[in-house]
Amino acid sequence: MDLAVQRAELRKSPQERERIDDLFRLIPEGGGVALDAGAWDGHLARRLADRYDRVVALDLTAPTVDHERVECVQGDITALDYPDDSFDLVLCTEVLEHVPADRLAAACTELARVARRDLIIGVPFRQDLRLGQTTCRDCGRRNPPWGHVNSFSLEKLRDLFGALRVETSSLVGQRVDTNALAAAVTDLAGNPRGTYGQEQGCVHCGAKLVRPQWRLTTKALAALGIALQKPTVWWRGPQPGWMHVHFVKERQTEAAPQV
């Protein structure tokens, strides 16, 4: 399927509409200038343009957004080329889970730095990165699902954006978890049920991820992995899939002059 068509179909899904509606419930009615950091297909930038006078849609490759109030730029959130307090709103969703761990703190510092007041973050909530793993055919190493290399709780986000105040937060969607034994068996099978349809290549060598062939042993081990996962699903039940947090940068009042 063509990538643009695949993205359009994703945006139509009930789960995606629920997630985006929840995200925009947190976004202030604005005016001013907004930054969509990690704009991807530009869908959110277009929606932000209904609320803000100008929107900067930024990604590692400049997005293509045909809208008079949207400016498309190439950039890296770990080193943003903007002065402090440049944007009335900074929105960053579906991004931080992809940032390498050694650059994550720098990315969060930069996002907070360029926000004048409001910063909205969207990340998967406590994602079990063992579920949906892939195995690279080229280097043989395991990859986390969808190229997600970080898992987040509210406490972790508070630590990463420690200088900002949490205005509000919400949880939306559903996920399930696995367990160590089920993950080990699925890995032994070569992770045939992993997220091989993702855009991201192998996080280790960059190669395109290709689903392994379904051999008899692969099918047997994959089926055993699913069976071993079921007790965890039954015990824990569905868990929230996404976390959205509205951070606020509070201004320090100037000290009274000494008399």
Side-chain angles (χ1 to χ4, degrees):
M1 183 183 295
D2 178 78
L3 182 57
V5 175
Q6 184 179 354
R7 290 176 173 180
E9 288 300 314
L10 170 65
R11 296 304 189 189
K12 293 178 184 177
S13 70
Q15 297 86 354
E16 183 70 355
R17 290 200 301 267
E18 179 188 16
R19 184 183 70 84
I20 292 176
D21 287 347
D22 183 76
L23 188 66
F24 272 78
R25 184 178 59 81
L26 271 62
I27 293 174
E29 295 288 346
V33 184
L35 171 66
D36 183 4
W40 197 43
D41 61 349
H43 179 76
L44 300 184
R46 292 185 188 91
R47 288 193 57 166
L48 283 175
D50 293 336
R51 301 190 184 189
Y52 288 83
D53 302 322
R54 185 167 67 90
V55 177
V56 174
L58 178 144
D59 214 317
L60 291 172
T61 299
T64 303
V65 184
D66 185 15
H67 194 292
E68 61 182 2
R69 289 198 297 278
V70 177
E71 174 189 357
C72 297
V73 300
Q74 183 275 331
D76 183 344
I77 65 168
T78 66
L80 292 168
D81 191 21
Y82 294 99
D84 296 358
D85 303 333
S86 290
F87 299 96
D88 298 284
L89 168 78
V90 173
L91 170 66
C92 184
T93 182
E94 298 181 88
V95 176
L96 294 181
E97 59 269 27
H98 297 280
V99 177
D102 61 348
R103 302 172 66 190
L104 182 59
C108 296
T109 297
E110 283 291 271
L111 293 169
R113 180 183 66 80
V114 301
R116 186 181 66 82
R117 182 179 187 276
D118 296 299
L119 171 65
I120 307 289
I121 298 295
V123 290
F125 178 66
R126 296 186 182 276
Q127 183 181 8
D128 188 338
L129 297 178
R130 300 170 298 184
L131 187 61
Q133 286 187 129
T134 59
T135 299
C136 178
R137 185 174 63 182
D138 285 43
C139 71
R141 300 176 71 181
R142 291 195 302 273
N143 282 260
W146 307 111
H148 294 181
V149 294
N150 301 305
S151 183
F152 294 94
S153 63
L154 181 58
E155 293 74 22
K156 182 171 181 176
L157 280 186
R158 285 181 187 273
D159 289 343
L160 287 166
F161 294 98
L164 306 185
R165 173 176 61 84
V166 174
E167 177 75 3
T168 188
S169 63
S170 63
L171 299 173
V172 65
Q174 290 188 349
R175 72 161 207 277
V176 295
D177 296 329
T178 189
N179 57 68
L181 182 57
V185 170
T186 304
D187 185 46
L188 188 62
N191 294 305
R193 298 184 183 277
T195 59
Y196 292 94
Q198 67 188 50
E199 293 180 43
Q200 302 83 2
C202 175
V203 299
H204 306 291
C205 71
K208 179 177 175 57
L209 295 170
V210 179
R211 192 179 303 277
Q213 295 181 353
W214 285 94
R215 297 185 173 88
L216 183 60
T217 53
T218 301
K219 291 180 180 179
L221 287 170
L224 178 59
I226 292 173
L228 291 170
Q229 180 193 350
K230 286 182 179 179
T232 299
V233 176
W234 293 334
W235 173 49
R236 294 183 181 175
Q239 300 294 311
W242 286 85
M243 175 171 56
H244 298 147
V245 183
H246 178 189
F247 289 100
V248 172
K249 181 187 288 186
E250 295 182 314
R251 303 286 174 178
Q252 293 184 350
T253 57
E254 294 183 4
Q258 298 294 321
V259 178

